[in-house]
Amino acid sequence: MPQNSSKKHASNQQLDVSGPTPKSQRTKMVRSSDDNEKKNLVKKLKDVEISVPIVYGNVAFWLGKKASEYQSHRWTVYVRGATNEDLSVVVKRAVFQLHSSFNNPMRVVESPPFELSESGWGEFEIAITLHFHSDVCDKPLHLYHHLKLYPEDESGSMSVKKPVVVESYDEIVLAEPSEGLFARVQNHPAVVVPRLPAGFSLPPADDADKRKRIDPKDNPLTQWFTNFSEADELLKLAAARQQVQAQIARVRRQLSLIDGQHQQSKPPTEL
Protein backbone atom coordinates (compact mmCIF):
# COMPACT_ATOMS: atom_id res chain seq x y z
CA MET A 1 0.00 0.00 0.00
CA PRO A 2 1.19 3.51 -0.66
CA GLN A 3 1.70 4.72 2.90
CA ASN A 4 1.20 3.27 6.37
CA SER A 5 0.72 -0.42 7.15
CA SER A 6 2.09 -3.16 9.36
CA LYS A 7 5.09 -4.75 7.68
CA LYS A 8 6.19 -8.36 7.46
CA HIS A 9 3.11 -9.92 9.03
CA ALA A 10 1.95 -13.36 7.85
CA SER A 11 -1.43 -14.97 8.45
CA ASN A 12 -1.34 -18.32 10.25
CA GLN A 13 -3.76 -19.77 7.72
CA GLN A 14 -1.49 -19.14 4.73
CA LEU A 15 1.55 -21.03 3.59
CA ASP A 16 4.62 -19.90 1.70
CA VAL A 17 5.59 -21.79 -1.43
CA SER A 18 8.58 -23.21 0.43
CA GLY A 19 6.34 -24.72 3.10
CA PRO A 20 4.32 -27.97 3.12
CA THR A 21 1.40 -28.55 0.78
CA PRO A 22 -1.70 -26.74 2.11
CA LYS A 23 -4.36 -28.93 3.64
CA SER A 24 -7.79 -29.28 2.10
CA GLN A 25 -10.55 -27.02 3.40
CA ARG A 26 -14.23 -27.25 2.53
CA THR A 27 -16.61 -24.29 2.45
CA LYS A 28 -20.20 -25.45 2.00
CA MET A 29 -22.51 -23.06 0.15
CA VAL A 30 -26.28 -23.58 0.33
CA ARG A 31 -28.57 -21.87 -2.14
CA SER A 32 -31.69 -20.57 -0.40
CA SER A 33 -35.08 -21.18 -1.96
CA ASP A 34 -36.90 -18.10 -3.16
CA ASP A 35 -40.31 -17.40 -4.68
CA ASN A 36 -38.97 -17.40 -8.24
CA GLU A 37 -37.40 -20.80 -7.77
CA LYS A 38 -40.65 -22.23 -6.43
CA LYS A 39 -42.61 -20.73 -9.32
CA ASN A 40 -40.20 -22.09 -11.90
CA LEU A 41 -40.14 -25.49 -10.19
CA VAL A 42 -36.37 -25.78 -10.49
CA LYS A 43 -35.44 -29.43 -10.11
CA LYS A 44 -32.68 -30.00 -7.57
CA LEU A 45 -30.47 -33.06 -7.34
CA LYS A 46 -31.07 -34.31 -3.82
CA ASP A 47 -28.13 -35.74 -1.85
CA VAL A 48 -25.71 -34.50 -4.53
CA GLU A 49 -22.78 -32.13 -4.03
CA ILE A 50 -20.48 -30.56 -6.57
CA SER A 51 -17.23 -28.92 -5.54
CA VAL A 52 -14.98 -26.22 -6.94
CA PRO A 53 -11.36 -26.30 -5.69
CA ILE A 54 -9.89 -22.80 -5.56
CA VAL A 55 -6.62 -21.12 -4.64
CA TYR A 56 -6.30 -17.50 -3.50
CA GLY A 57 -3.16 -15.57 -2.70
CA ASN A 58 -0.60 -13.12 -4.03
CA VAL A 59 2.62 -12.84 -6.02
CA ALA A 60 4.91 -9.93 -5.08
CA PHE A 61 7.94 -8.66 -7.01
CA TRP A 62 10.58 -6.45 -5.39
CA LEU A 63 11.37 -3.48 -7.65
CA GLY A 64 15.10 -3.47 -6.84
CA LYS A 65 16.86 -0.28 -7.94
CA LYS A 66 13.52 1.17 -9.01
CA ALA A 67 12.13 0.82 -5.48
CA SER A 68 11.32 3.95 -3.51
CA GLU A 69 10.24 4.53 0.08
CA TYR A 70 6.55 4.04 -0.73
CA GLN A 71 6.84 1.95 -3.92
CA SER A 72 9.04 -1.04 -3.12
CA HIS A 73 6.99 -3.87 -4.62
CA ARG A 74 4.65 -4.66 -7.50
CA TRP A 75 2.10 -7.28 -6.47
CA THR A 76 -0.92 -9.18 -7.76
CA VAL A 77 -3.69 -10.70 -5.64
CA TYR A 78 -5.97 -13.31 -7.21
CA VAL A 79 -8.43 -16.18 -6.98
CA ARG A 80 -7.84 -19.08 -9.38
CA GLY A 81 -8.73 -22.71 -9.93
CA ALA A 82 -6.67 -25.26 -7.97
CA THR A 83 -4.74 -26.15 -11.10
CA ASN A 84 -5.33 -22.72 -12.63
CA GLU A 85 -8.67 -23.44 -14.35
CA ASP A 86 -11.03 -20.67 -15.39
CA LEU A 87 -13.54 -20.11 -12.56
CA SER A 88 -16.00 -18.00 -14.55
CA VAL A 89 -18.25 -21.03 -15.03
CA VAL A 90 -19.40 -20.48 -11.43
CA VAL A 91 -17.96 -17.10 -10.35
CA LYS A 92 -19.63 -13.99 -11.74
CA ARG A 93 -17.39 -11.36 -10.17
CA ALA A 94 -14.74 -10.88 -7.50
CA VAL A 95 -14.47 -7.87 -5.21
CA PHE A 96 -11.11 -7.02 -3.59
CA GLN A 97 -11.16 -4.69 -0.59
CA LEU A 98 -7.76 -3.00 -0.26
CA HIS A 99 -6.37 -0.80 2.51
CA SER A 100 -8.13 2.54 2.85
CA SER A 101 -4.92 4.41 1.87
CA PHE A 102 -5.37 3.26 -1.74
CA ASN A 103 -7.38 5.27 -4.23
CA ASN A 104 -10.65 3.48 -4.86
CA PRO A 105 -9.88 0.71 -2.32
CA MET A 106 -12.83 -1.45 -3.39
CA ARG A 107 -11.91 -3.05 -6.72
CA VAL A 108 -14.46 -5.06 -8.71
CA VAL A 109 -13.30 -7.59 -11.31
CA GLU A 110 -16.15 -8.65 -13.59
CA SER A 111 -14.37 -11.26 -15.73
CA PRO A 112 -11.51 -13.75 -15.50
CA PRO A 113 -8.77 -13.81 -14.54
CA PHE A 114 -10.05 -12.68 -11.14
CA GLU A 115 -7.00 -10.70 -10.08
CA LEU A 116 -5.71 -7.17 -9.63
CA SER A 117 -2.25 -5.64 -9.51
CA GLU A 118 -0.95 -2.71 -7.47
CA SER A 119 2.29 -1.36 -6.02
CA GLY A 120 3.29 -0.30 -2.50
CA TRP A 121 5.55 -1.11 0.41
CA GLY A 122 3.35 -2.49 3.21
CA GLU A 123 1.49 -5.69 4.04
CA PHE A 124 -2.18 -5.76 5.05
CA GLU A 125 -5.27 -7.96 4.98
CA ILE A 126 -7.31 -8.07 1.77
CA ALA A 127 -10.97 -9.07 1.92
CA ILE A 128 -12.06 -11.00 -1.18
CA THR A 129 -15.75 -11.50 -1.95
CA LEU A 130 -16.82 -13.96 -4.65
CA HIS A 131 -20.24 -13.48 -6.24
CA PHE A 132 -21.69 -16.46 -8.08
CA HIS A 133 -23.98 -16.83 -11.07
CA SER A 134 -27.68 -16.94 -10.17
CA ASP A 135 -28.01 -20.70 -10.70
CA VAL A 136 -24.98 -21.44 -8.49
CA CYS A 137 -25.59 -19.63 -5.20
CA ASP A 138 -27.37 -16.44 -4.19
CA LYS A 139 -25.00 -15.75 -1.29
CA PRO A 140 -21.43 -14.45 -1.73
CA LEU A 141 -18.37 -16.16 -0.31
CA HIS A 142 -16.00 -14.09 1.83
CA LEU A 143 -12.29 -14.87 1.87
CA TYR A 144 -9.44 -13.12 3.65
CA HIS A 145 -5.84 -13.00 2.49
CA HIS A 146 -2.89 -11.32 4.17
CA LEU A 147 -0.83 -9.65 1.47
CA LYS A 148 2.79 -10.75 1.79
CA LEU A 149 5.67 -8.85 0.20
CA TYR A 150 8.71 -9.97 2.16
CA PRO A 151 10.34 -13.42 2.42
CA GLU A 152 9.89 -15.52 5.55
CA ASP A 153 13.63 -15.30 6.18
CA GLU A 154 14.01 -11.62 6.98
CA SER A 155 17.78 -11.93 7.06
CA GLY A 156 17.85 -13.13 3.44
CA SER A 157 18.31 -10.73 0.57
CA MET A 158 15.39 -9.92 -1.74
CA SER A 159 15.57 -10.73 -5.44
CA VAL A 160 13.99 -8.97 -8.42
CA LYS A 161 13.90 -12.28 -10.29
CA LYS A 162 12.16 -14.51 -7.76
CA PRO A 163 8.88 -13.21 -6.28
CA VAL A 164 7.32 -13.94 -2.92
CA VAL A 165 4.31 -16.23 -3.40
CA VAL A 166 1.74 -17.05 -0.71
CA GLU A 167 -1.39 -19.08 -1.47
CA SER A 168 -4.25 -20.79 0.36
CA TYR A 169 -6.33 -23.74 -0.85
CA ASP A 170 -10.07 -24.10 -0.33
CA GLU A 171 -12.85 -26.21 -1.76
CA ILE A 172 -16.27 -24.64 -2.40
CA VAL A 173 -19.03 -27.23 -1.97
CA LEU A 174 -22.38 -26.59 -3.65
CA ALA A 175 -25.14 -28.71 -2.12
CA GLU A 176 -28.16 -29.93 -4.09
CA PRO A 177 -27.41 -28.17 -7.39
CA SER A 178 -30.15 -27.75 -9.96
CA GLU A 179 -30.24 -30.14 -12.90
CA GLY A 180 -29.50 -27.22 -15.21
CA LEU A 181 -26.40 -26.20 -13.25
CA PHE A 182 -25.14 -29.79 -13.12
CA ALA A 183 -25.59 -30.15 -16.88
CA ARG A 184 -23.76 -26.87 -17.48
CA VAL A 185 -20.67 -27.64 -15.36
CA GLN A 186 -20.36 -31.42 -15.54
CA ASN A 187 -17.64 -31.31 -18.22
CA HIS A 188 -15.81 -28.23 -16.95
CA PRO A 189 -12.27 -28.87 -15.58
CA ALA A 190 -12.75 -26.44 -12.68
CA VAL A 191 -15.69 -28.39 -11.20
CA VAL A 192 -15.72 -31.81 -9.52
CA VAL A 193 -19.02 -33.65 -10.03
CA PRO A 194 -20.14 -37.10 -8.79
CA ARG A 195 -21.33 -39.87 -11.08
CA LEU A 196 -25.10 -39.88 -11.39
CA PRO A 197 -27.14 -43.12 -11.25
CA ALA A 198 -27.33 -45.14 -14.46
CA GLY A 199 -30.18 -44.08 -16.72
CA PHE A 200 -30.47 -40.62 -15.13
CA SER A 201 -30.89 -37.98 -17.84
CA LEU A 202 -30.11 -34.28 -17.54
CA PRO A 203 -31.57 -31.43 -19.56
CA PRO A 204 -29.28 -30.19 -22.36
CA ALA A 205 -26.97 -27.33 -21.42
CA ASP A 206 -28.14 -23.95 -22.68
CA ASP A 207 -25.87 -22.86 -25.53
CA ALA A 208 -26.53 -19.23 -24.71
CA ASP A 209 -25.08 -19.81 -21.25
CA LYS A 210 -21.73 -21.13 -22.44
CA ARG A 211 -18.92 -18.79 -21.48
CA LYS A 212 -15.58 -18.39 -23.16
CA ARG A 213 -12.91 -20.18 -21.18
CA ILE A 214 -9.62 -18.51 -20.42
CA ASP A 215 -6.50 -20.52 -21.22
CA PRO A 216 -4.46 -20.66 -17.96
CA LYS A 217 -1.25 -20.72 -20.00
CA ASP A 218 -1.99 -17.14 -21.06
CA ASN A 219 -1.39 -15.87 -17.51
CA PRO A 220 2.24 -14.67 -17.15
CA LEU A 221 2.15 -15.49 -13.42
CA THR A 222 1.49 -19.18 -14.04
CA GLN A 223 5.16 -20.08 -13.69
CA TRP A 224 5.16 -18.74 -10.12
CA PHE A 225 1.97 -20.38 -8.89
CA THR A 226 2.30 -23.05 -6.22
CA ASN A 227 2.38 -26.59 -7.58
CA PHE A 228 -0.20 -28.28 -5.39
CA SER A 229 1.16 -31.81 -5.53
CA GLU A 230 -1.95 -33.13 -3.79
CA ALA A 231 -4.42 -31.25 -5.95
CA ASP A 232 -5.29 -34.17 -8.22
CA GLU A 233 -5.64 -36.54 -5.27
CA LEU A 234 -7.83 -34.03 -3.46
CA LEU A 235 -10.09 -33.78 -6.49
CA LYS A 236 -10.37 -37.57 -6.71
CA LEU A 237 -11.10 -37.84 -2.99
CA ALA A 238 -13.77 -35.15 -3.26
CA ALA A 239 -15.49 -37.00 -6.11
CA ALA A 240 -15.29 -40.33 -4.27
CA ARG A 241 -16.63 -38.78 -1.06
CA GLN A 242 -19.61 -37.30 -2.90
CA GLN A 243 -20.36 -40.61 -4.58
CA VAL A 244 -20.28 -42.47 -1.25
CA GLN A 245 -22.57 -39.87 0.33
CA ALA A 246 -25.06 -40.27 -2.53
CA GLN A 247 -24.99 -44.09 -2.17
CA ILE A 248 -25.58 -43.84 1.59
CA ALA A 249 -28.54 -41.54 1.00
CA ARG A 250 -30.04 -43.96 -1.54
CA VAL A 251 -29.63 -46.91 0.86
CA ARG A 252 -31.33 -44.94 3.63
CA ARG A 253 -34.27 -44.14 1.37
CA GLN A 254 -34.57 -47.80 0.37
CA LEU A 255 -34.47 -48.95 3.99
CA SER A 256 -37.10 -46.36 4.86
CA LEU A 257 -39.37 -47.66 2.09
CA ILE A 258 -38.86 -51.27 3.18
CA ASP A 259 -39.62 -50.38 6.77
CA GLY A 260 -42.78 -48.56 5.70
CA GLN A 261 -43.96 -51.56 3.67
CA HIS A 262 -43.19 -53.86 6.60
CA GLN A 263 -45.26 -51.75 8.95
CA GLN A 264 -48.21 -51.81 6.51
CA SER A 265 -48.03 -55.60 6.12
CA LYS A 266 -48.30 -56.28 9.86
CA PRO A 267 -51.72 -57.65 10.90
CA PRO A 268 -53.70 -55.51 13.33
CA THR A 269 -53.19 -56.37 16.98
CA GLU A 270 -56.17 -58.13 18.51
CA LEU A 271 -57.25 -57.12 21.97
Side-chain angles (χ1 to χ4, degrees):
M1 90 196 161
Q3 297 181 5
N4 54 2
S5 77
S6 60
K7 272 189 167 184
K8 303 183 181 179
H9 257 309
S11 170
N12 292 332
Q13 295 180 351
Q14 296 168 339
L15 298 174
D16 203 329
V17 290
S18 59
T21 303
K23 296 181 179 179
S24 172
Q25 301 182 44
R26 285 168 60 83
T27 303
K28 193 166 186 176
M29 306 295 290
V30 179
R31 191 174 188 276
S32 62
S33 298
D34 55 23
D35 292 338
N36 291 332
E37 187 172 84
K38 292 177 182 178
K39 291 178 181 178
N40 295 332
L41 298 177
V42 174
K43 293 183 179 179
K44 291 185 176 182
L45 297 174
K46 298 294 183 182
D47 304 316
V48 172
E49 292 181 347
I50 61 178
S51 60
V52 186
I54 64 169
V55 173
Y56 56 98
N58 77 265
V59 174
F61 289 88
W62 180 51
L63 297 178
K65 294 181 179 180
K66 297 180 180 179
S68 64
E69 182 179 2
Y70 297 118
Q71 300 288 326
S72 62
H73 289 77
R74 180 71 177 173
W75 52 262
T76 300
V77 61
Y78 50 83
V79 180
R80 63 180 179 87
T83 50
N84 206 26
E85 303 89 354
D86 180 2
L87 294 176
S88 63
V89 68
V90 292
V91 177
K92 184 177 182 180
R93 74 173 63 92
V95 180
F96 298 87
Q97 181 66 52
L98 306 182
H99 191 272
S100 58
S101 58
F102 281 88
N103 292 327
N104 184 26
M106 180 179 290
R107 310 290 177 85
V108 180
V109 181
E110 298 280 0
S111 59
F114 296 106
E115 64 182 36
L116 71 88
S117 298
E118 262 293 353
S119 57
W121 60 265
E123 299 180 347
F124 57 95
E125 185 177 69
I126 300 176
I128 307 171
T129 304
L130 298 182
H131 296 268
F132 302 97
H133 294 293
S134 59
D135 62 345
V136 176
C137 186
D138 51 5
K139 296 181 179 179
L141 173 63
H142 302 285
L143 305 170
Y144 298 91
H145 173 72
H146 192 93
L147 177 68
K148 188 166 179 60
L149 308 181
Y150 303 92
E152 285 290 341
D153 185 5
E154 297 182 9
S155 61
S157 60
M158 293 185 293
S159 170
V160 296
K161 295 182 179 180
K162 184 179 180 180
V164 170
V165 183
V166 177
E167 297 186 315
S168 298
Y169 176 94
D170 202 345
E171 182 183 326
I172 303 172
V173 180
L174 304 171
E176 298 188 348
S178 67
E179 291 184 359
L181 171 61
F182 195 100
R184 184 164 66 80
V185 305
Q186 62 178 335
N187 295 319
H188 197 285
V191 184
V192 181
V193 299
R195 182 180 300 174
L196 294 178
F200 189 92
S201 60
L202 290 169
D206 187 359
D207 291 337
D209 197 35
K210 290 182 179 179
R211 300 171 177 88
K212 182 180 179 182
R213 298 181 187 178
I214 302 299
D215 187 348
K217 295 180 182 179
D218 293 340
N219 193 326
L221 298 178
T222 299
Q223 61 178 316
W224 304 114
F225 289 157
T226 305
N227 180 17
F228 286 85
S229 60
E230 295 181 357
D232 291 339
E233 291 301 320
L234 290 171
L235 297 181
K236 293 177 182 177
L237 288 173
R241 179 173 56 243
Q242 293 168 10
Q243 190 168 354
V244 169
Q245 290 174 343
Q247 291 175 348
I248 292 174
R250 286 196 294 271
V251 170
R252 285 177 176 172
R253 288 197 298 269
Q254 291 173 355
L255 291 176
S256 177
L257 289 173
I258 293 173
D259 184 62
Q261 293 172 356
H262 179 69
Q263 293 293 335
Q264 293 177 359
S265 64
K266 281 185 177 180
T269 304
E270 296 182 1
L271 297 177

